[in-house]
Amino acid sequence: MEMNQNQNGAEDPTKVSTLYCIDLSNPDIHQSVSLLKQACLDCGFFYVVNHGVSQEFMDEVFAQSKNFFHLPLNEKMKVLRNEKHRGYTPVLDELLDPDNQLHGDYKEGYYIGVEVPEDDPEAEKPFYGPNVWPADGVLPGWRQTMEKFHHEALEVAKAVARVIALALDLEVDFFDKPEMLGKPIATLRLLHYEGQISDPSKGIFGAGAHSDYGLITLLVTDDVMGLQICKDKDAKPQVWEYVAPIKGAFIVNLGDMLERWSNCLFKSTLHRVLGNGQERYSIAYFVEPSHECLVECLPTCKSEKNPPQFPPIRCDTYLSQRYKDTHADLSVYNKHQT
């Protein structure tokens, strides 16, 4: 089969990346730290197993996700995402790689953030507020399942962050502080790829090439291959490798914020999704520190020879700009509002 080698990358349909696997139940924390350090220096992607979320519950979350995406479009548009990025994102809503994408991403999604009541002063913050939920009569038990998963995934993220802290020669609880993951911006995103066949040479992707914005992302997928990573974003042409789904494992990747924090010691990695004609479901959980957190070079990641490469920036300022850059203006959906 002849594959394209253009600016969208060298293609090898069989190339599957070998990733490190971190066992969160391993009593030898030094071994976990060593593995994670190797993974972060190698490609910024790794598997996490024995994380405490049961397979039975994971299956339930996927079943409920499918229940939502199988609803008629007019029902889904009733819970269209708002300006705080809560609710439904239609196909083509997100454009992650404008230089190489003809259209937006061929995926639909659903954002669920930290639940903060509208009358709470904290709800004034850009990434806090009440979630948008389908009516209970439409999807019974749906909200309860997603809230439970949001809570359990945050505990997994905190456990991973403790290993990252040790790998960066910080105190184990560095990221547990109130201004970090004590009051995090944590966003669950259900994703559905409808079975479009991607064609990089024509700019058609399930999800365009991008690196994630935040600290870390946890991803769990069904058994359909689709996620690809590019270990060296500066290579010409870029080389893309598939990441194999492992049942019960989270795929974890580092975000741009951690690259910035670590002064580029740990790099965030370009990734994308190619559709092969099969329907695919995945669930991403994006973890960032608090709104007020000042992201500045970590003391263990700078020296006279290696001064800070980025100025300090507040977490909410940084995230707001990144979301604005990649999502359609909500006014394009006015015709759907009744």
Side-chain angles (χ1 to χ4, degrees), residues 12 63 72 147 163 176 197 228 251 258 306 333:
D12 177 353
E147 286 187 324
V163 185
D176 285 328
I197 296 178
Q228 291 188 322
I251 299 166
L258 188 57
N306 186 24
Y333 299 118

Side-chain angles (χ1 to χ4, degrees), residues 27 35 43 45 50 53 65-66 83 89 125 168 173 187 214-215 269 275-276 296 300 306 334:
L35 282 174
C43 70
F45 268 76
N50 294 325
V53 182
S65 174
K66 287 178 185 177
E83 67 288 343
T89 55
K125 296 176 178 177
L168 289 168
D173 61 353
T187 306
L215 182 64
T269 303
N276 63 4
E296 58 183 332
T300 55
N306 186 24
N334 285 346

Side-chain angles (χ1 to χ4, degrees), residues 1-307:
M1 181 161 76
E2 195 175 332
M3 302 298 287
N4 295 295
Q5 286 202 2
N6 56 16
Q7 78 274 16
N8 287 308
E11 308 296 345
D12 177 353
T14 59
K15 176 80 170 159
V16 177
S17 195
T18 306
L19 300 184
Y20 290 94
C21 187
I22 294 170
D23 181 346
L24 287 183
S25 69
N26 184 354
D28 184 354
I29 189 75
H30 297 295
Q31 186 184 33
S32 297
V33 169
S34 172
L35 282 174
L36 182 134
K37 200 179 276 190
Q38 289 173 66
C40 293
L41 295 172
D42 173 47
C43 70
F45 268 76
F46 51 92
Y47 298 110
V48 164
V49 296
N50 294 325
H51 40 64
V53 182
S54 75
Q55 187 59 52
E56 188 181 23
F57 182 54
M58 208 89 98
D59 292 342
E60 167 68 11
V61 177
F62 270 93
Q64 288 281 31
S65 174
K66 287 178 185 177
N67 289 344
F68 173 78
F69 289 119
H70 287 164
L71 292 173
L73 181 61
N74 66 335
E75 199 65 48
K76 291 185 281 196
M77 291 304 283
K78 289 178 185 174
V79 285
L80 179 69
R81 73 171 167 90
N82 57 24
E83 67 288 343
K84 292 210 170 188
H85 295 280
R86 307 296 177 93
Y88 176 61
T89 55
V91 174
L92 306 183
D93 178 75
E94 193 172 12
L95 184 65
L96 290 165
D97 184 14
D99 291 343
N100 292 312
Q101 278 182 272
L102 183 64
H103 308 293
D105 292 352
Y106 280 91
K107 67 174 191 286
E108 52 181 346
Y110 200 97
Y111 279 120
I112 299 163
V114 175
E115 182 75 33
V116 176
E118 209 153 4
D119 56 2
D120 188 314
E122 291 278 291
E124 299 289 314
K125 296 176 178 177
F127 295 95
Y128 275 2
N131 282 302
V132 174
W133 299 106
D136 208 40
V138 177
L139 294 172
W142 200 84
R143 173 177 178 168
Q144 290 77 5
T145 299
M146 296 309 163
E147 286 187 324
K148 182 182 174 193
F149 185 72
H150 193 289
H151 173 76
E152 291 196 8
L154 182 57
E155 292 310 305
V156 178
K158 286 178 176 177
V160 172
R162 289 178 197 119
V163 185
I164 290 173
L166 292 173
L168 289 168
D169 296 321
L170 301 163
E171 293 295 319
V172 66
D173 61 353
F174 179 84
F175 292 110
D176 285 328
K177 297 171 191 159
E179 69 273 21
M180 304 265 185
L181 298 183
K183 293 179 75 178
I185 299 169
T187 306
L188 177 63
R189 195 174 188 197
L190 311 174
L191 294 162
H192 174 221
Y193 299 85
E194 291 182 320
Q196 176 87 18
I197 296 178
S198 296
D199 185 343
S201 69
K202 292 188 176 144
I204 295 170
F205 297 89
H210 65 288
S211 53
D212 290 344
Y213 321 146
L215 182 64
I216 56 172
T217 303
L218 309 181
L219 179 76
V220 57
T221 80
D222 62 14
D223 56 5
V224 176
M225 201 89 94
L227 175 66
Q228 291 188 322
I229 62 173
C230 172
K231 292 184 180 180
D232 182 1
K233 54 190 163 202
D234 299 320
K236 295 277 189 293
Q238 290 174 339
V239 177
W240 292 90
E241 303 175 13
Y242 279 103
V243 173
I246 294 183
K247 194 165 181 65
F250 280 105
I251 299 166
V252 181
N253 67 282
L254 311 181
D256 296 339
M257 201 178 283
L258 188 57
E259 178 173 315
R260 193 178 176 118
W261 234 328
S262 71
N263 213 19
C264 296
L265 178 66
F266 286 176
K267 287 190 165 38
S268 60
T269 303
L270 270 186
H271 52 286
R272 68 186 188 186
V273 174
L274 293 193
N276 63 4
Q278 286 177 279
E279 214 178 5
R280 180 176 176 269
Y281 290 88
S282 66
I283 301 167
Y285 190 73
F286 303 102
V287 183
E288 282 89 45
S290 73
H291 285 74
E292 300 80 14
C293 182
L294 195 64
V295 178
E296 58 183 332
C297 184
L298 296 167
T300 55
C301 298
K302 61 184 176 184
S303 64
E304 275 186 42
K305 287 182 180 172
N306 186 24

